[in-house]
Amino acid sequence: MIVIYTSPGCASCRKVKAWLKERNLPYIEKNIFQVLLNKTEVKYLLMRSENGTEDIISKRSKIIQENKYDIDNMSMNELVDFIIANPSILRRPIILNDTNFQIGYDSEEIDAFIPEELRNLAKCDKTCPKYEECGSVRNECNR
C-alpha cells in the first residue's frame, strides 16, 4: 500500500494525489497536521531516507531558522521528539510503500510506485510473446 504524508496547501501533495488517482492506485493519506506522528513512524521515515535528516527535514523551515536549532547535533530521540512537536519541518509529500521512498513530486521517479506487473504491460512491444493480447487491450483503451 502506498502511504503519502501531506499537508494542506501543498501543491506537490496535490500533484501526487492526482497522479495516484489518475492511475487508480490506492493510497493512504496522512496529513501531518491532523494525524500526530508517533515515534516509531518518525524513526521509520528517517531510516528509509537515504541521507537521513537531509532528505526529509527542511532546514529552511521557519522554526529552525528563527530558533537556530542544530538538528545535526541532536540525538536520535531528541530529533524524533522535535519532529513530532514540529511536523512542519518535514519536506512534503513523503511517499512510500514496501519498496520505494520518495520526497516531493518527481514526474520521473514516481513511476516506481506503479506496480511491476502494470509497468511490464506498458513496456510490451512487438517482441513480447503476449503482444497480440496486450496490443488489443491498448487499442480498445485508446478508442
Side-chain angles (χ1 to χ4, degrees):
M1 175 62 71
I2 298 171
V3 177
I4 57 173
Y5 292 86
T6 64
S7 66
C10 169
S12 294
C13 298
R14 286 192 299 273
K15 284 182 185 179
V16 168
K17 291 190 293 186
W19 185 90
L20 292 166
K21 286 177 186 172
E22 285 171 13
R23 285 150 185 84
N24 294 317
L25 296 174
Y27 64 91
I28 296 171
E29 178 180 3
K30 293 189 175 189
N31 180 321
I32 62 170
F33 295 110
Q34 291 178 345
V35 178
L36 292 178
L37 301 172
N38 63 48
K39 289 183 181 204
T40 304
E41 197 169 19
V42 172
K43 286 180 183 178
Y44 182 71
L45 292 174
L46 288 167
M47 180 186 73
R48 289 288 304 268
S49 63
E50 282 185 32
N51 300 310
T53 59
E54 288 183 32
D55 285 345
I56 70 169
I57 293 178
S58 173
K59 292 184 179 178
R60 294 182 296 161
S61 72
K62 188 176 180 180
I63 292 167
I64 292 175
Q65 292 292 311
E66 286 180 356
N67 298 296
K68 299 188 185 337
Y69 286 110
D70 184 5
I71 60 169
D72 294 328
N73 288 317
M74 290 182 181
S75 70
M76 177 60 82
N77 286 333
E78 290 172 331
L79 180 61
V80 168
D81 290 341
F82 184 68
I83 292 170
I84 291 170
N86 302 284
S88 65
I89 67 170
L90 291 175
R91 295 178 189 260
R92 303 172 289 282
I94 298 173
I95 315 155
L96 66 144
N97 64 11
D98 290 339
T99 56
N100 302 299
F101 185 86
Q102 182 177 324
I103 311 291
Y105 176 79
D106 182 320
S107 60
E108 293 177 16
E109 298 285 328
I110 199 165
D111 284 346
F113 289 93
I114 297 173
E116 185 176 1
E117 60 274 8
L118 294 178
R119 283 196 312 267
N120 289 339
L121 277 177
K123 293 177 188 174
C124 183
D125 62 16
K126 291 185 180 184
T127 62
C128 177
K130 294 187 175 187
Y131 179 74
E132 291 300 319
E133 183 181 329
C134 297
S136 65
V137 169
R138 229 183 265 116
N139 287 338
E140 287 178 27
C141 290
N142 289 332
R143 290 182 188 167

